[in-house]
Amino acid sequence: MKWTRQIIIILSLLVFPATAFAAGQGEEEPLDVKTMLFEHIGDSYQWHITRIGDKDISVPLPVIVKSSTGWHCFLSSRLEEGPYEGLYLAEGGKYDGKIVEKDASGNEVRPFDISVTKNVLGLMINSLILVILVLGCSRWYRKHDALKEAPTGVASLMEPVIEMINDDVIKGSIPGKLGEKFAPYLLTVFFFVLINNLMGIIPIFPGGANITGNIAITFVLALFTFLAVNLFANRHYWKDIFWPDVPWWLKVPVPLIPFTEFIGIFTKPFALMIRLFANILAGHAIILSFVFIIFITVKMGPLVNGTMTVVSVLFGVFMDCIELLVAFIQAYVFTMLSAVFIGLAHEEPEAGKE
């Protein structure tokens, strides 16, 4: 009975937002799957919860912009009725869905925008969860002797994961005591990516924000790894890049290998950025695509629609389970590759070669 109740809850969480959305769709209104898909996985100035009838239930978020007339701060709900203080949401074009204003020539231009969007709020919430987990874990260790008693609560949840990442990934990739130096960064990256991945799977507020499926987020994470690798690298690392141990004709007069190694400095973090972004974005898109099958088949009759509804829900639940695994794997892979790149930047030369 316990597992039955849990399965029913999962099915309800998956289907309810979709059913509420369908209730608000007119019978003659065609469903633009592409537009709806990108609206769900994209960023916005409000956090859409669901739709009941013809009414959208959403959380308006603060708009903070500096336009040609100065700073403006108001809730995004002000823009639903049209232009507000000379600002409005662009429809179509390169600024589609963004806040714009018109210049003296009548052209749409973007003001300086630091608004709290859906992804920004989601990032704040997920970061707060991470801080609470870390502080809860540290609080237990401050009050208890870990050598005499087993951890409980948050500490019991965090300790095995921390030990796994620290012992298997960090110590296995970064030589000597350098692992202790980079452990705080790498553990933070792991739990940050993991929590954002898991929260992105939850279909109801405050989950559902596509944080790690946003390339701006993965770019910043990859940038931190890039800085950690290249700012603290040893002399041998740079020698292997600009004067590697290869035949001289591969280095002069045409620096073929040094050029290739130099490009590798940037392609490694670029691969980190794209891998995390693409995997998380694809997972969200696949789950939403299964849900949209319900509405695409509405006009094919109750038999076809009912059958495809069952199929789409079952595959949706299956993909949610797969995404739970992917959430952990992607956090693990990002951390592991970051640790490997940092470790390679601190390799010592073989005896007699330098």
Side-chain angles (χ1 to χ4, degrees):
M1 292 298 296
K2 179 180 178 181
W3 284 105
T4 303
R5 289 196 300 269
Q6 292 177 348
I7 292 173
I8 293 174
I9 291 172
I10 292 173
L11 289 171
S12 301
L13 291 176
L14 179 66
V15 176
F16 175 73
T19 306
F21 165 75
Q25 296 293 312
E27 292 184 2
E28 301 300 326
E29 183 180 351
L31 179 64
D32 188 346
V33 174
K34 180 180 178 181
T35 300
M36 294 301 301
L37 180 62
F38 281 101
E39 283 182 358
H40 279 76
I41 63 179
D43 202 2
S44 64
Y45 292 96
Q46 60 181 358
W47 197 312
H48 187 268
I49 306 298
T50 187
R51 173 181 284 186
I52 301 178
D54 295 329
K55 185 177 181 181
D56 287 318
I57 307 299
S58 59
V59 178
L61 301 175
V63 172
I64 308 171
V65 298
K66 183 181 181 182
S67 68
S68 58
T69 57
W71 284 97
H72 303 268
C73 184
F74 53 88
L75 290 179
S76 59
S77 55
R78 297 277 190 175
L79 299 172
E80 294 178 0
E81 301 174 357
Y84 182 77
E85 296 182 356
L87 303 168
Y88 62 96
L89 292 175
E91 297 181 1
K94 63 179 180 179
Y95 298 134
D96 184 31
K98 303 296 183 182
I99 292 178
V100 297
E101 63 175 340
K102 289 189 175 180
D103 59 14
S105 303
N107 299 318
E108 288 185 345
V109 294
R110 285 273 286 147
F112 179 66
D113 191 348
I114 54 172
S115 303
V116 178
T117 61
K118 176 182 177 180
N119 281 351
V120 173
L121 180 59
L123 183 62
M124 291 178 178
I125 294 173
N126 298 345
S127 298
L128 179 62
I129 293 174
L130 175 59
V131 171
I132 291 174
L133 289 176
V134 172
L135 293 181
C137 182
S138 64
R139 181 183 180 184
W140 187 92
Y141 282 99
R142 287 197 305 269
K143 295 184 176 181
H144 301 82
D145 187 349
L147 299 177
K148 296 181 179 179
E149 55 183 307
T152 58
V154 177
S156 65
L157 177 68
M158 299 279 285
E159 182 178 315
V161 182
I162 292 173
E163 287 185 349
M164 179 193 67
I165 298 300
N166 186 62
D167 296 342
D168 298 342
V169 176
I170 299 176
K171 291 182 179 179
S173 303
I174 304 176
K177 293 186 177 181
L178 283 172
E180 298 178 4
K181 178 180 178 181
F182 291 99
Y185 164 68
L186 293 170
L187 287 169
T188 301
V189 166
F190 174 80
F191 283 106
F192 176 83
V193 174
L194 179 61
I195 289 173
N196 279 283
N197 289 350
L198 293 175
M199 290 295 290
I201 300 173
I202 300 175
I204 56 176
F205 182 85
N210 187 30
I211 306 300
T212 44
N214 186 318
I215 199 167
I217 301 297
T218 59
F219 168 78
V220 173
L221 291 173
L223 178 62
F224 286 152
T225 294
F226 172 81
L227 295 176
V229 170
N230 295 284
L231 290 182
F232 302 100
N234 60 17
R235 186 166 61 94
H236 179 68
Y237 169 78
W238 293 108
K239 176 186 175 297
D240 270 352
I241 291 175
F242 294 108
W243 197 257
D245 293 327
V246 296
W248 65 268
W249 49 271
L250 292 175
K251 297 182 285 189
V252 291
V254 180
L256 179 61
I257 299 301
F259 178 75
T260 303
E261 292 290 338
F262 180 76
I263 295 299
I265 295 176
F266 303 97
T267 56
K268 290 174 183 177
F270 180 79
L272 281 178
M273 175 184 71
I274 296 299
R275 178 183 286 105
L276 179 59
F277 159 73
N279 278 283
I280 300 304
L281 183 65
H284 289 191
I286 291 172
I287 292 174
L288 288 171
S289 297
F290 279 127
V291 174
F292 286 143
I293 291 175
I294 301 172
F295 313 116
I296 294 174
T297 59
V298 166
K299 294 183 179 180
M300 296 181 183
L303 179 61
V304 175
N305 181 241
T307 303
M308 295 309 298
T309 296
V310 174
V311 171
S312 63
V313 169
L314 292 177
F315 273 101
V317 173
F318 173 75
M319 282 304 303
D320 266 332
C321 296
I322 294 296
E323 282 298 294
L324 289 173
L325 179 62
V326 170
F328 178 84
I329 290 175
Q330 289 305 315
Y332 183 88
V333 168
F334 192 98
T335 307
M336 179 187 67
L337 291 178
S338 296
V340 168
F341 296 155
I342 293 172
L344 291 174
H346 291 86
E347 278 190 336
E348 296 296 333
E350 295 181 15
K353 285 196 173 184
E354 187 172 341

